[in-house]
Amino acid sequence: MDNIHGVARGTAEVPLSVLELATVGVGITPTEALRGATDLARKVEEWGFHRIWVAEHHGMPGVASSSPAVLIAHLAAATERIRIGSGGVMLPNHAPLVVAEQFGTLEALHPGRIDLGLGRAPGTDMATAHALRRRAEVDPDEFPQHVNELTAFLDGTFPRIQAIPRGPQRPPIWLLGSSGFSAKLAGLLGLPFAFAHHFSAANTEPALELYRASFRPSEVLAEPYAMIGVSALAAETEEEAYRQALPGALSFLRLRSGTPGPFPTPEEAHEYEFSPMEAEFVRDRLSNVALGTPEQVRAHLDELRKRTDADELMITTMVHGTETRIRSYELIARAYGLI
């Protein structure tokens, strides 16, 4: 299906795409963060990236992408060609009919440019998840059923109920995951699969192997199509790249410790006194980032693509400030001959 497979550009062996969270940093308002996400979408479209997705997170002061459908509509209206999608909609938080109506509307507004990526995690803490779902627990075994319901709504085949409006075609459905559950389900359903290598690197190759081994051809996909999300940050020097990357590690450390906040500045991160255990956490976190000069970043990404045999790379860059993030993507684009 042409709207699933991407096209490699420049000297890249596979398509390059972008995952955006509309990061709200210290001293940056949500309005500025969302404006920055719009500026980034326009730039990466200009430079030949294949798609840009936005992630659903809730209750996180440093992330403004809590409403993917709203943000996708805005980004699609601000661009012309690049594919826009969700990376992803956390399906347990929503009724399948509501998601079908939202993405049917998006596909009708922007035919052939919308992707619907689905995740089975809540994308937040349990209290916030309860407020979203109005019930304390969700059975993970319900996820395949909800995917099937959503697909039927988008196809117009659900008994007695219609999801209106629908676009001229069904937006491609992707399954997202960081373990084997969604990998196997994506394979069995014949859907494209996106793996979160950027926060679950140890599971990447086993999950992709499971996806490919489980794959059954479908009406939308004849062969497996696997994309991996990877953290990357390029700067003019290796030292500057590390300086810009440290706030992301500190932000994730605070999230894991239950104290999320606005994304810290490089100055705040370098003044923070890490305990030995925290320092080890940071080293492990940064070891999974394609970090350094443009040449170093490309070498890391090329090695990862070769090792995983990924069909597409989706880059996410967590830094303080839009200008720094856009500059990193520009350097990566130049390293691959996109500009």
Side-chain angles (χ1 to χ4, degrees), residues 19-312:
L19 176 65
E20 171 65 0
L21 276 71
T23 305
V24 182
V26 172
I28 298 173
T29 67
T31 297
E32 291 168 333
L34 292 165
R35 187 179 298 128
T38 309
D39 293 341
L40 175 64
R42 292 185 177 122
K43 285 295 186 182
V44 297
E45 175 180 68
E46 175 187 339
W47 296 331
F49 286 81
H50 180 57
R51 64 182 107 234
I52 180 169
W53 284 3
V54 296
E56 178 184 345
H57 292 286
H58 300 276
M60 298 182 186
V63 175
S65 59
S66 58
S67 300
V70 176
L71 186 51
I72 289 168
H74 176 72
L75 297 182
T79 54
E80 296 178 359
R81 301 174 306 279
I82 192 169
R83 296 194 64 83
I84 314 283
S86 57
V89 165
M90 300 294 102
L91 191 53
N93 297 339
H94 312 281
L97 176 58
V98 172
V99 178
E101 290 174 339
Q102 291 173 344
F103 279 78
T105 301
L106 289 169
E107 180 65 28
L109 286 168
H110 306 283
R113 293 183 57 204
I114 303 300
D115 294 326
L116 174 51
L118 301 172
R120 62 188 283 261
T124 187
D125 61 90
M126 288 300 101
T128 306
H130 175 60
L132 285 163
R133 297 189 281 231
R134 308 307 300 166
R135 54 186 175 131
E137 299 293 338
V138 170
D139 185 349
D141 292 336
E142 293 180 342
F143 182 69
Q145 175 188 338
H146 290 168
V147 172
N148 288 334
E149 288 179 9
L150 173 56
T151 302
F153 282 129
L154 288 170
D155 285 341
T157 60
F158 196 92
R160 299 185 300 280
I161 301 173
Q162 295 186 62
I164 298 173
R166 296 207 314 272
Q169 59 185 339
R170 186 180 86 195
I173 293 175
W174 292 67
L175 294 194
L176 282 57
S178 57
S179 63
F181 185 98
S182 291
K184 184 174 183 179
L185 181 61
L188 293 174
L189 296 178
L191 297 175
F193 177 58
F195 187 83
H197 174 82
H198 53 301
F199 62 80
S200 187
N203 292 325
T204 303
E205 290 172 78
L208 294 184
E209 290 174 4
L210 180 59
Y211 168 60
R212 292 169 181 139
S214 304
F215 187 84
R216 298 175 182 173
S218 68
E219 293 181 359
V220 299
L221 203 57
E223 297 178 345
Y225 192 89
M227 176 167 64
I228 57 175
V230 54
S231 293
L233 201 167
E236 279 74 9
T237 66
E238 188 175 357
E239 293 75 19
E240 177 62 13
Y242 177 82
R243 191 180 84 87
Q244 296 293 347
L246 189 58
L250 176 58
S251 179
F252 199 71
L253 174 65
R254 288 172 170 170
L255 177 64
R256 283 292 178 90
S257 64
T259 57
F263 198 87
T265 64
E267 292 75 19
E268 180 183 354
H270 282 269
E271 291 173 2
Y272 183 88
E273 294 185 5
F274 293 93
S275 70
M277 185 176 297
E278 290 174 335
E280 179 61 29
F281 177 92
V282 168
R283 282 191 293 270
D284 182 67
R285 178 74 178 171
L286 293 182
S287 70
N288 192 38
V289 180
L291 182 66
T293 65
E295 295 75 18
Q296 290 172 317
V297 170
R298 171 163 184 171
H300 184 126
L301 294 177
D302 286 349
E303 186 280 329
L304 177 62
R305 191 219 65 80
K306 183 177 180 180
R307 174 160 48 88
T308 61
D309 198 26
D311 298 295
E312 188 171 337

